């Protein structure tokens, strides 16, 4: 019998974060759940995410600014957004002196 995987999403957050850190928590046929850590990181200039699946993203700690082609979304603790497939977006800003902890769920709609 398989034992349930137990982990705390706030565990093992490094003190220094020279680049964004993405940890896959669950990877199944139609869903991938990630913990993303950002501290001052943002998308490279001119880069846009254009994903073939939907994404639900939730800020658990910190804050951030997401930019879409037609709007800017300020995200604070507890804020979430569903990003449909192929809706271009980018991370415009995360605070450089605190860690933003995201929970991202990628799924087939």
């Amino acid at each position: 019998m398989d034992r349930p995987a137990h982990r705390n999403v706030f565990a093992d957050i490094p003190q220094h974060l020279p680049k964004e850190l993405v940890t896959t928590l669950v990877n199944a046929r139609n869903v991938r759940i990630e913990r993303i850590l950002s501290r001052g990181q943002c998308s490279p200039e001119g880069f846009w995410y254009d994903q073939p699946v939907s994404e639900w993203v939730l800020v658990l700690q910190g804050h951030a600014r997401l930019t879409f082609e037609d709007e800017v979304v300020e995200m604070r603790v507890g804020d979430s957004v569903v990003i449909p497939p192929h809706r271009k977006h980018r991370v415009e800003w995360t605070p450089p002196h605190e860690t933003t902890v995201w929970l991202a769920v990628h799924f087939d709609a």
Side-chain angles (χ1 to χ4, degrees):
M1 180 176 193
D2 289 337
R3 297 188 68 173
H6 176 263
R7 84 182 294 164
N8 186 305
V9 74
F10 295 107
D12 304 321
I13 294 177
Q15 290 295 316
H16 301 286
L17 199 59
K19 63 179 186 173
E20 189 172 72
L21 180 63
V22 178
T23 304
T24 300
L25 305 175
V26 174
N27 195 7
R29 184 167 36 133
N30 294 321
V31 66
R32 185 176 77 250
I33 302 173
E34 300 171 331
R35 179 188 75 172
I36 304 169
L37 305 177
S38 306
R39 188 179 299 138
Q41 289 86 12
C42 59
S43 301
E45 188 66 36
F47 174 83
W48 292 89
Y49 288 99
D50 185 1
Q51 302 168 150
V53 296
S54 295
E55 180 181 9
W56 175 77
V57 65
L58 167 69
V59 173
L60 297 173
Q61 174 182 299
H63 49 285
R65 183 178 309 118
L66 292 180
T67 299
F68 296 88
E69 291 179 302
D70 57 348
E71 71 177 310
V72 175
V73 177
E74 297 287 336
M75 307 238 355
R76 302 221 179 267
V77 172
D79 289 340
S80 68
V81 63
V82 175
I83 305 168
H86 298 293
R87 182 163 189 216
K88 292 182 180 178
H89 62 286
R90 53 183 280 112
V91 178
E92 196 66 40
W93 174 86
T94 62
H97 301 297
E98 72 174 300
T99 300
T100 298
V101 180
W102 312 74
L103 188 64
V105 180
H106 303 266
F107 60 96
D108 286 332

